[in-house]
Amino acid sequence: MDAGSAGDVLEDNPIGRLKVYVYDLPSKYNKKILQKDQRCLTHMFAAEIYMHRFLLNSPVRTLNPDEADWFYTPIYVTCDLTPNGLPLPFKSPRMMRSAIQLISSNWPYWNRTEGADHFFVVPHDFGACFHYQEEKAIDRGILPLLQRATLVQTFGQKHHVCSNEGSITIPPYCPPQKMKSHLIPLETPRSIFVYFRGLFYDVNNDPEGGYYARGARAAVWENFKNNALFDISTNHPTTYYEDMQRAIFCLCPLGWAPWSPRLVEAVVFGCIPVIIADDIVLPFADAIPWEEIGVFVDEKDVPNLDTILTSILPHVILRKQRLLANPSMKRAMMFPQPAQSGDAFHQILNGLARKLVQDGRIYLKPGERILNWTAGRPVGDLKPW
């Protein structure tokens, strides 16, 4: 699909185009986990919780599984946080396996397709590979039991073992009310040319440098720390959201994973996202015209960032800013409470509606089995949850 037509489906209405059955799982898979740690409601992986709440009250929900197009298993796999708020994905494979064993033995629907008409929200760094370090995530691969399911995930990268071809890439969760409370007048001039706040090095996890962000963030700092056009720092000021609204370009480089909440923040605050993450698959790429609203810079070209950005003509900048000002563009990146037409919830449903297979190809023959229930690495993934 060319970028010019991408925005055409942004306004699609999924209601009436699909029916979703929500499995009623024991609360130990969802609500009880959340009761233990309310921080899960505000961290960037919270889409798994809000998608569950949304579907319970959505017009696409059906209580009759025999008429469902899709089946949804509400399981909060990233709601296991360290004291400083980082999710630990190590129990996730066992938890997911336990939930699939439950639905496959209590309902007939999983077994007839081995999950091909089921979707799971897996918003962790590397989706259903369930590890935050890329090498280890690649080594693990997508949990074998999820190989046929549709994964709704923040991680999106072309030709990557943690990204199924049929995955739906979504934005990370950013608290809508918090962002709304920091809005400044639209006519405020954008006096900052390039803006970035965040890590350039991760000395704890990558002491020698080079792995973290594949060196791209380090290259930003080393080349532009003294450049007056670049307002870049590791300090996260209380005016962070306001500053983004005063900036023309906001850097969105990869970190450990290619995606980050900066992408959502840039779009919502009308700052042109400068995407530095080779092979990234962007959220709702069939609906949001990323090529038209953003600037893509190859990781190897980071040392030329100043030349690249200063050579963009004013009318091109204005056009990108006008597109970013479109409320439907901002809405598609958000998970508001209550839901709104065209928001991220509806974009997920649109993606599922576009994927519907009507010809029965997903059904297995009697006795046919494709998935290997005893596959999994490390072996600890096979222990009961």
Side-chain angles (χ1 to χ4, degrees), residues 44-45 47 154 170-174 259-264 283 333 335:
M44 59 184 164
F45 306 104
T154 39
I170 63 170
Y173 177 79
C174 291
W259 60 271
S260 84
R262 285 179 196 83
L263 204 57
V264 177
M333 296 294 279
F335 294 92

Side-chain angles (χ1 to χ4, degrees), residues 94-241:
R94 287 163 50 213
M95 194 175 166
M96 189 66 86
R97 192 184 171 80
S98 164
I100 293 170
Q101 275 170 331
L102 184 78
I103 60 171
S104 65
S105 39
N106 289 7
W107 288 271
Y109 308 103
W110 173 275
N111 295 323
R112 65 186 188 182
T113 66
E114 286 200 318
D117 51 1
H118 288 56
F119 70 93
F120 294 83
V121 181
V122 282
H124 200 261
D125 286 357
F126 289 97
C129 287
F130 298 125
H131 207 287
Y132 53 83
Q133 287 177 316
E134 185 169 21
E135 278 178 56
K136 295 202 170 125
I138 289 170
D139 192 42
R140 294 175 71 100
I142 289 173
L143 190 70
L145 290 183
L146 294 175
Q147 296 287 358
R148 286 172 58 81
T150 288
L151 302 176
V152 175
Q153 58 186 56
T154 39
F155 176 73
Q157 189 173 323
K158 293 173 202 149
H159 324 300
H160 197 287
V161 297
C162 300
S163 203
N164 265 350
E165 202 182 314
S167 311
I168 294 174
T169 312
I170 63 170
Y173 177 79
C174 291
Q177 286 311 112
K178 185 181 170 193
M179 297 182 86
K180 220 173 175 178
S181 69
H182 286 269
L183 287 173
I184 62 175
L186 280 174
E187 60 278 7
T188 307
R190 290 189 178 264
S191 53
I192 301 167
F193 190 63
V194 180
Y195 188 73
F196 176 79
R197 290 293 181 274
L199 290 179
F200 296 100
Y201 306 92
D202 185 345
V203 284
N204 294 330
N205 296 303
D206 179 26
E208 268 127 60
Y211 277 117
Y212 180 60
R214 295 196 283 257
R217 291 193 186 202
V220 168
W221 180 248
E222 282 152 23
N223 286 282
F224 305 111
K225 61 186 170 194
N226 298 318
N227 187 316
L229 293 175
F230 283 67
D231 187 342
I232 58 175
S233 165
T234 51
N235 297 329
H236 223 287
T238 51
T239 55
Y240 174 66
Y241 283 162

